[in-house]
């Protein structure tokens, strides 16, 4: 309150919202580069897992071994995709759905 009893509007200048700047969730970039490669590798690991196990989703601690000897932390990857599902595009969600991931239905 000011000396005159009116409420000061100085709090409005400290607000983090900036008009004209869209919220982050509305900005969507096409899948390309390192992120797209990482997603494809995760899909490949999940496909290998579901083929071998006959379906299902691996637990968080699961690590998938590729034939070339490299490892993929498939359980952590699928948990991260679920946490970021609002940022996945329709093609990515479709790929996960085809592999039996129930939360990825389009």
């Amino acid at each position: 309150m000011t000396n005159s009893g009116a409420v000061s509007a100085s709090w409005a200048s400290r607000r983090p919202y900036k008009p004209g700047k869209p919220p982050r969730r509305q900005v969507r970039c096409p899948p390309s580069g390192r992120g797209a490669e990482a997603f494809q590798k995760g899909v490949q690991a999940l496909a290998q897992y579901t083929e071998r196990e006959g379906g299902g989703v691996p637990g968080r601690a699961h690590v998938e071994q590729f034939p070339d000897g490299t490892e993929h932390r498939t359980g952590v990857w699928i948990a991260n995709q679920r946490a970021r599902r609002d940022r996945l595009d329709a093609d990515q969600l479709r790929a996960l759905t085809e592999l039996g991931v129930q939360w990825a239905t389009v």
Side-chain angles (χ1 to χ4, degrees):
M1 296 184 102
T2 62
N3 291 340
S4 65
V7 176
S8 172
S10 64
W11 61 269
S13 64
R14 294 189 298 251
R15 295 177 71 197
Y17 175 74
K18 295 183 179 169
K21 188 173 183 180
R24 183 176 180 151
R25 291 180 195 217
Q26 292 180 358
V27 178
R28 209 179 270 276
C29 299
S32 62
R34 199 170 111 190
E37 291 173 18
F39 186 83
Q40 287 304 318
K41 191 161 189 157
V43 167
Q44 182 182 15
L46 183 58
Q48 180 176 304
Y49 174 86
T50 56
E51 183 177 317
R52 184 183 66 249
E53 300 295 326
V57 177
R60 186 169 175 82
H62 180 75
V63 177
E64 190 68 24
Q65 298 281 334
F66 285 118
D68 65 359
T70 60
E71 295 181 341
H72 184 270
R73 295 173 56 195
T74 312
V76 171
W77 177 82
I78 197 71
N80 287 341
Q81 300 315 302
R82 184 174 188 171
R84 299 175 184 140
R85 66 180 164 244
D86 61 334
R87 290 181 264 164
L88 298 175
D89 65 29
D91 291 334
Q92 292 171 323
L93 289 169
R94 194 171 304 112
L96 292 172
T97 300
E98 290 172 2
L99 291 171
V101 179
Q102 294 177 352
W103 54 258
T105 56
V106 180

